[in-house]
Amino acid sequence: MQNLKNIAVGFLVSFIGSIPLGYLNVVGFQVYDKAGLFPTALYLFGVIIIEFFVIYFTLIFANKLAANKKLTKYIEGFSIVFMFVLAYVFYSSANAKSDFSTSFNYAPFLLGIVLSCLNFVQIPFWTGWNLYLLNGNYIEISKSRKYFYVFGTITGTFCGMLVLILSLHYFASNVDFLSKYLMQIIIPLVFVGLGFFQGIKYWMKHKKV
């Protein structure tokens, strides 16, 4: 029963956590739009392979990672800069009549691995969630039970990202405004907004009193 609970909790957290618009989802949308479902599934498998190791090690070393304030600060600072870089990349690639996914000479599976490795913000995300779930006794990770939790999380990420990718494709295909401006304007502006939002949070968290 505890193993099923670990799977369910991990699935729910990662499914919801994968829904917010991020560059992994946007690139997945482009892969699906250009190549179809099977390459998209390969791309997502590449993403969750890296996430498996991230979740596993943040689960094992959650307390140590949470105590390392300097590492957290660097990761948060990098994520702010990365949002603005992504805004520029998506804007420039859309207006150059190309797309971000084909700017890499990788197969979809390797593309997922490379981009997931660049998703450093998942380290504090999973460190925080793992600490919360452990301290609240929502999961139990003795012996092999930790693997059931990690399996639930990567399954939830795969399903959550696939649902969002298919939803983006549906709306982009059926709403003229989104079809015309999604990649050129809307997504770059979303990343700019996220960059400013994270920058304000970063300043408020680390400002000297």
mmCIF file of all heavy atoms in Angstrom, residues 27-29 44 47 59 73-74 99 102 125-126 133 139 141 145 151 158 160 186 195:
data_model
loop_
_atom_site.group_PDB
_atom_site.id
_atom_site.type_symbol
_atom_site.label_atom_id
_atom_site.label_comp_id
_atom_site.label_asym_id
_atom_site.label_seq_id
_atom_site.Cartn_x
_atom_site.Cartn_y
_atom_site.Cartn_z
ATOM 1 N N VAL A 27 9.509 23.388 -26.568
ATOM 2 C CA VAL A 27 10.281 22.622 -27.549
ATOM 3 C C VAL A 27 9.551 21.327 -27.890
ATOM 4 O O VAL A 27 9.510 20.906 -29.058
ATOM 5 C CB VAL A 27 11.697 22.330 -27.028
ATOM 6 C CG1 VAL A 27 12.448 21.420 -28.003
ATOM 7 C CG2 VAL A 27 12.465 23.631 -26.833
ATOM 8 N N GLY A 28 8.942 20.700 -26.878
ATOM 9 C CA GLY A 28 8.145 19.504 -27.134
ATOM 10 C C GLY A 28 6.992 19.789 -28.077
ATOM 11 O O GLY A 28 6.674 18.972 -28.961
ATOM 12 N N PHE A 29 6.367 20.931 -27.921
ATOM 13 C CA PHE A 29 5.296 21.347 -28.830
ATOM 14 C C PHE A 29 5.819 21.477 -30.257
ATOM 15 O O PHE A 29 5.172 21.050 -31.221
ATOM 16 C CB PHE A 29 4.707 22.680 -28.350
ATOM 17 C CG PHE A 29 3.944 23.433 -29.397
ATOM 18 C CD1 PHE A 29 2.698 23.003 -29.812
ATOM 19 C CD2 PHE A 29 4.475 24.578 -29.970
ATOM 20 C CE1 PHE A 29 1.995 23.701 -30.789
ATOM 21 C CE2 PHE A 29 3.795 25.284 -30.937
ATOM 22 C CZ PHE A 29 2.543 24.841 -31.349
ATOM 23 N N LEU A 44 10.406 13.203 -24.838
ATOM 24 C CA LEU A 44 9.978 13.188 -23.439
ATOM 25 C C LEU A 44 10.733 12.128 -22.639
ATOM 26 O O LEU A 44 11.046 12.337 -21.463
ATOM 27 C CB LEU A 44 8.466 12.944 -23.356
ATOM 28 C CG LEU A 44 7.582 14.065 -23.903
ATOM 29 C CD1 LEU A 44 6.112 13.676 -23.804
ATOM 30 C CD2 LEU A 44 7.838 15.369 -23.166
ATOM 31 N N VAL A 47 13.901 13.645 -21.628
ATOM 32 C CA VAL A 47 13.696 14.590 -20.523
ATOM 33 C C VAL A 47 13.606 13.861 -19.187
ATOM 34 O O VAL A 47 14.259 14.234 -18.205
ATOM 35 C CB VAL A 47 12.417 15.431 -20.762
ATOM 36 C CG1 VAL A 47 12.063 16.238 -19.505
ATOM 37 C CG2 VAL A 47 12.602 16.366 -21.950
ATOM 38 N N LEU A 59 16.292 13.660 -3.575
ATOM 39 C CA LEU A 59 15.575 12.942 -2.520
ATOM 40 C C LEU A 59 16.555 12.439 -1.464
ATOM 41 O O LEU A 59 16.308 12.561 -0.257
ATOM 42 C CB LEU A 59 14.809 11.766 -3.134
ATOM 43 C CG LEU A 59 13.935 10.927 -2.194
ATOM 44 C CD1 LEU A 59 12.781 11.763 -1.659
ATOM 45 C CD2 LEU A 59 13.398 9.703 -2.937
ATOM 46 N N LYS A 73 21.311 30.022 -4.435
ATOM 47 C CA LYS A 73 21.365 31.389 -4.953
ATOM 48 C C LYS A 73 21.886 31.424 -6.385
ATOM 49 O O LYS A 73 21.347 32.125 -7.244
ATOM 50 C CB LYS A 73 22.242 32.249 -4.043
ATOM 51 C CG LYS A 73 22.249 33.729 -4.395
ATOM 52 C CD LYS A 73 23.068 34.513 -3.376
ATOM 53 C CE LYS A 73 23.057 36.007 -3.704
ATOM 54 N NZ LYS A 73 23.830 36.789 -2.710
ATOM 55 N N TYR A 74 22.941 30.661 -6.662
ATOM 56 C CA TYR A 74 23.502 30.610 -8.012
ATOM 57 C C TYR A 74 22.494 30.020 -9.006
ATOM 58 O O TYR A 74 22.350 30.506 -10.130
ATOM 59 C CB TYR A 74 24.786 29.781 -8.024
ATOM 60 C CG TYR A 74 25.974 30.480 -7.423
ATOM 61 C CD1 TYR A 74 26.911 29.776 -6.665
ATOM 62 C CD2 TYR A 74 26.168 31.850 -7.591
ATOM 63 C CE1 TYR A 74 28.012 30.418 -6.101
ATOM 64 C CE2 TYR A 74 27.264 32.495 -7.027
ATOM 65 C CZ TYR A 74 28.173 31.776 -6.283
ATOM 66 O OH TYR A 74 29.250 32.410 -5.739
ATOM 67 N N ASP A 99 12.544 26.931 -36.263
ATOM 68 C CA ASP A 99 12.070 26.645 -34.917
ATOM 69 C C ASP A 99 13.216 26.161 -34.054
ATOM 70 O O ASP A 99 14.244 25.724 -34.546
ATOM 71 C CB ASP A 99 10.920 25.622 -34.918
ATOM 72 C CG ASP A 99 11.354 24.284 -35.480
ATOM 73 O OD1 ASP A 99 12.098 23.576 -34.774
ATOM 74 O OD2 ASP A 99 10.955 23.967 -36.608
ATOM 75 N N THR A 102 14.733 22.425 -34.279
ATOM 76 C CA THR A 102 15.580 22.030 -35.395
ATOM 77 C C THR A 102 16.886 22.795 -35.425
ATOM 78 O O THR A 102 17.696 22.593 -36.318
ATOM 79 C CB THR A 102 14.840 22.257 -36.732
ATOM 80 O OG1 THR A 102 14.436 23.624 -36.820
ATOM 81 C CG2 THR A 102 13.621 21.368 -36.838
ATOM 82 N N PHE A 125 13.499 23.040 -7.089
ATOM 83 C CA PHE A 125 12.087 22.644 -7.130
ATOM 84 C C PHE A 125 11.892 21.293 -6.451
ATOM 85 O O PHE A 125 11.048 21.145 -5.556
ATOM 86 C CB PHE A 125 11.607 22.578 -8.580
ATOM 87 C CG PHE A 125 10.210 22.028 -8.739
ATOM 88 C CD1 PHE A 125 9.109 22.861 -8.616
ATOM 89 C CD2 PHE A 125 10.000 20.683 -9.015
ATOM 90 C CE1 PHE A 125 7.818 22.360 -8.755
ATOM 91 C CE2 PHE A 125 8.718 20.171 -9.158
ATOM 92 C CZ PHE A 125 7.619 21.011 -9.033
ATOM 93 N N TRP A 126 12.690 20.298 -6.844
ATOM 94 C CA TRP A 126 12.519 18.965 -6.287
ATOM 95 C C TRP A 126 13.089 18.857 -4.875
ATOM 96 O O TRP A 126 12.579 18.073 -4.053
ATOM 97 C CB TRP A 126 13.146 17.922 -7.207
ATOM 98 C CG TRP A 126 12.258 17.610 -8.373
ATOM 99 C CD1 TRP A 126 12.486 17.892 -9.687
ATOM 100 C CD2 TRP A 126 10.970 16.991 -8.311
ATOM 101 N NE1 TRP A 126 11.418 17.490 -10.449
ATOM 102 C CE2 TRP A 126 10.475 16.929 -9.639
ATOM 103 C CE3 TRP A 126 10.184 16.486 -7.280
ATOM 104 C CZ2 TRP A 126 9.235 16.379 -9.942
ATOM 105 C CZ3 TRP A 126 8.942 15.940 -7.585
ATOM 106 C CH2 TRP A 126 8.483 15.887 -8.904
ATOM 107 N N LEU A 133 7.424 16.636 1.363
ATOM 108 C CA LEU A 133 6.755 15.335 1.380
ATOM 109 C C LEU A 133 7.328 14.422 2.447
ATOM 110 O O LEU A 133 6.589 13.672 3.099
ATOM 111 C CB LEU A 133 6.871 14.672 0.001
ATOM 112 C CG LEU A 133 6.156 15.398 -1.145
ATOM 113 C CD1 LEU A 133 6.478 14.731 -2.484
ATOM 114 C CD2 LEU A 133 4.650 15.435 -0.922
ATOM 115 N N ILE A 139 5.370 10.498 1.961
ATOM 116 C CA ILE A 139 6.065 9.404 1.293
ATOM 117 C C ILE A 139 6.993 8.726 2.289
ATOM 118 O O ILE A 139 7.355 9.307 3.326
ATOM 119 C CB ILE A 139 6.881 9.886 0.069
ATOM 120 C CG1 ILE A 139 7.921 10.943 0.477
ATOM 121 C CG2 ILE A 139 5.968 10.405 -1.016
ATOM 122 C CD1 ILE A 139 8.847 11.361 -0.647
ATOM 123 N N ILE A 141 10.620 6.345 2.152
ATOM 124 C CA ILE A 141 11.635 6.019 1.158
ATOM 125 C C ILE A 141 12.650 4.988 1.651
ATOM 126 O O ILE A 141 13.766 4.924 1.151
ATOM 127 C CB ILE A 141 12.377 7.286 0.688
ATOM 128 C CG1 ILE A 141 13.077 7.983 1.864
ATOM 129 C CG2 ILE A 141 11.421 8.232 -0.007
ATOM 130 C CD1 ILE A 141 14.018 9.097 1.432
ATOM 131 N N ARG A 145 11.419 1.502 -1.582
ATOM 132 C CA ARG A 145 10.219 2.332 -1.729
ATOM 133 C C ARG A 145 10.506 3.663 -2.399
ATOM 134 O O ARG A 145 9.629 4.258 -3.021
ATOM 135 C CB ARG A 145 9.575 2.547 -0.350
ATOM 136 C CG ARG A 145 8.879 1.306 0.166
ATOM 137 C CD ARG A 145 8.313 1.476 1.558
ATOM 138 N NE ARG A 145 7.557 0.299 1.948
ATOM 139 C CZ ARG A 145 7.111 0.066 3.183
ATOM 140 N NH1 ARG A 145 7.386 0.951 4.147
ATOM 141 N NH2 ARG A 145 6.424 -1.027 3.452
ATOM 142 N N PHE A 151 9.542 6.613 -9.679
ATOM 143 C CA PHE A 151 8.794 6.134 -10.852
ATOM 144 C C PHE A 151 7.508 6.930 -11.031
ATOM 145 O O PHE A 151 7.141 7.309 -12.149
ATOM 146 C CB PHE A 151 8.467 4.650 -10.695
ATOM 147 C CG PHE A 151 7.556 4.116 -11.776
ATOM 148 C CD1 PHE A 151 8.044 3.837 -13.036
ATOM 149 C CD2 PHE A 151 6.210 3.899 -11.506
ATOM 150 C CE1 PHE A 151 7.196 3.359 -14.034
ATOM 151 C CE2 PHE A 151 5.357 3.429 -12.488
ATOM 152 C CZ PHE A 151 5.856 3.144 -13.762
ATOM 153 N N PHE A 158 6.023 12.869 -17.582
ATOM 154 C CA PHE A 158 5.771 12.459 -18.966
ATOM 155 C C PHE A 158 4.322 12.759 -19.366
ATOM 156 O O PHE A 158 4.062 13.366 -20.407
ATOM 157 C CB PHE A 158 6.068 10.968 -19.127
ATOM 158 C CG PHE A 158 5.936 10.460 -20.531
ATOM 159 C CD1 PHE A 158 7.045 10.381 -21.359
ATOM 160 C CD2 PHE A 158 4.708 10.062 -21.029
ATOM 161 C CE1 PHE A 158 6.930 9.917 -22.662
ATOM 162 C CE2 PHE A 158 4.575 9.598 -22.329
ATOM 163 C CZ PHE A 158 5.689 9.523 -23.153
ATOM 164 N N GLY A 160 2.092 14.763 -17.848
ATOM 165 C CA GLY A 160 1.762 16.185 -17.760
ATOM 166 C C GLY A 160 2.279 16.969 -18.949
ATOM 167 O O GLY A 160 1.574 17.806 -19.519
ATOM 168 N N ILE A 186 3.823 35.634 -28.197
ATOM 169 C CA ILE A 186 3.263 35.238 -26.904
ATOM 170 C C ILE A 186 4.290 34.519 -26.039
ATOM 171 O O ILE A 186 4.519 34.898 -24.878
ATOM 172 C CB ILE A 186 2.014 34.350 -27.107
ATOM 173 C CG1 ILE A 186 0.920 35.138 -27.826
ATOM 174 C CG2 ILE A 186 1.505 33.846 -25.757
ATOM 175 C CD1 ILE A 186 -0.297 34.314 -28.181
ATOM 176 N N GLY A 195 11.057 35.979 -16.409
ATOM 177 C CA GLY A 195 12.365 36.487 -16.010
ATOM 178 C C GLY A 195 12.248 37.634 -15.026
ATOM 179 O O GLY A 195 12.945 37.660 -14.000
#
